[in-house]
Amino acid sequence: MNLKNLKLFSDRMTNLNLKTDYRHFLDLSYLLPRDVRYIIEKAKVLKVIAKEKKQSKGFIHPDMPLKDQALAMIFEKPSTRTRISFEMAMHQLGGKTVVLQDHDMQISRGESISDTARVLSGFVDAIMMRANNHDNLLEMAKKSQVPIINALTNFSHPCQVMADVLTFEEHLGPITGRKIAWSGDVTNVAVSWIHAAALFDCELAIGCHRDYSPPKQVIDWIKNNNGRVTITENPIEAVQGADCIITDTFISMGDKDVNKRLKDLSPYQINENLMKRAKPSAIFLHCLPAHRGEEVTEDIIDGPQSLVWHEAENRLHIQKAILLWCFGK
Ligand code: CP
Ligand code: NVA
């Protein structure tokens, strides 16, 4: 992703003139360690409930904590996992969803994000948005009178990283103090991992080509928030002794320079040579969709250290916890 040209924003809601009486889930950088810990622990409990008695996926939580609540889901980009996990999460918590593709909305004919935010606030109790541009998400949050959830932008993907942390802790215990390695493009998922490293107090080692490294403003955020994040062009150094290795596609939605990216980023592919530098107990994570043979080899993503299917399922359990946090439940 080209993060260099993004207008970056201050790391606190108040500086965005956002109404603080709504619990927006815009970025992990706006949250406190106690917020993210609450969401992770809540998700663990919700997962146990979901697994009890081998409940079918269409079950409804006996307490129906989101009964009478409605979530609008706006998509400016495609989605498989995020859409279905939020839809099922709302269903299982007793709520309703309305799915809106941007090309079906008046936004596609020029209606402003701020007018859309005001109108939707009269119809639903929260809005989830997958936005092409992070500015659109923030504009929505500024004008809405209900909580806004970031379901991926060109800048960040906080819901995904919360599911990653849940997956890590289920398999390897507390994440605090552990070493996470990222190798590849510094994507929206990687930026949320940078925020997560500071909030969960873990080490994050990033191996990336210099043209794809985090922008200066994100580096400054790391320094201001005591993030233990290191960045190297040497992928072996990044993954050495790691508890977890993560990557993402080399071609994110909206990226155009395909051939250059594949060439520049190929040394950062997760393969047997890199995986064996991590701890023997190390796990492999990937947000999906994956491109076998590009950012990861088949033997790794389909191998014994890969937890990508657990990670994908955990999107459901974490979305429920994020929704409950947003609704103050
Ligand atoms: N990982 C993820 O967000 O997947 P989708 O693009 O399918 O929602
Ligand atoms: N970085 C990827 C993540 C997809 C879930 C993209 O933005 O396309």
Side-chain angles (χ1 to χ4, degrees), residues 220-319:
D220 290 345
W221 186 92
I222 296 166
K223 287 182 190 144
N224 293 336
N225 290 277
N226 302 319
R228 287 192 283 142
V229 181
T230 56
I231 299 166
T232 172
E233 284 205 72
N234 182 345
I236 292 175
E237 190 184 317
V239 302
Q240 199 71 45
D243 293 288
C244 173
I245 297 186
I246 318 178
T247 192
D248 189 359
T249 178
F250 290 164
I251 320 289
S252 283
M253 291 180 273
D255 284 337
K256 296 205 166 38
D257 42 351
V258 173
N259 292 337
K260 177 173 163 44
R261 292 181 149 272
L262 293 178
K263 182 168 170 286
D264 290 346
L265 294 166
S266 63
Y268 300 91
Q269 179 192 67
I270 309 301
N271 51 33
E272 193 188 354
N273 183 39
L274 276 198
M275 204 72 210
K276 73 182 182 199
R277 316 283 174 149
K279 286 187 181 151
S281 57
I283 59 172
F284 171 76
L285 298 179
H286 188 310
C287 61
L288 306 177
H291 305 81
R292 289 167 175 76
E294 293 180 12
E295 74 274 10
V296 61
T297 53
E298 195 174 329
D299 58 323
I300 297 300
I301 193 167
D302 296 321
Q305 289 169 283
S306 172
L307 294 181
V308 297
W309 314 119
H310 295 276
E311 183 186 5
E313 186 197 315
N314 277 339
R315 297 295 306 280
L316 169 64
H317 306 295
I318 208 77
Q319 313 304 33

Side-chain angles (χ1 to χ4, degrees), residues 205-219:
I206 298 177
C208 65
H209 185 286
R210 71 177 78 86
D211 290 352
Y212 305 84
S213 58
K216 183 178 177 305
Q217 294 94 324
V218 173
I219 306 279

Side-chain angles (χ1 to χ4, degrees), residues 141-197:
K142 277 182 187 160
K143 291 295 183 316
S144 95
Q145 289 163 357
V146 297
I148 302 293
I149 299 172
N150 176 354
L152 180 149
T153 69
N154 55 334
F155 178 60
S156 56
H157 196 3
C159 294
Q160 176 67 53
V161 170
M162 291 297 286
D164 295 2
V165 172
L166 174 61
T167 309
F168 181 101
E169 294 207 334
E170 281 179 337
H171 290 84
L172 294 177
I175 197 166
T176 300
R178 311 295 280 277
K179 178 174 177 179
I180 311 299
W182 180 280
S183 180
D185 187 16
V186 178
T187 63
N188 38 17
V189 179
V191 166
S192 288
W193 258 108
I194 288 171
H195 296 151

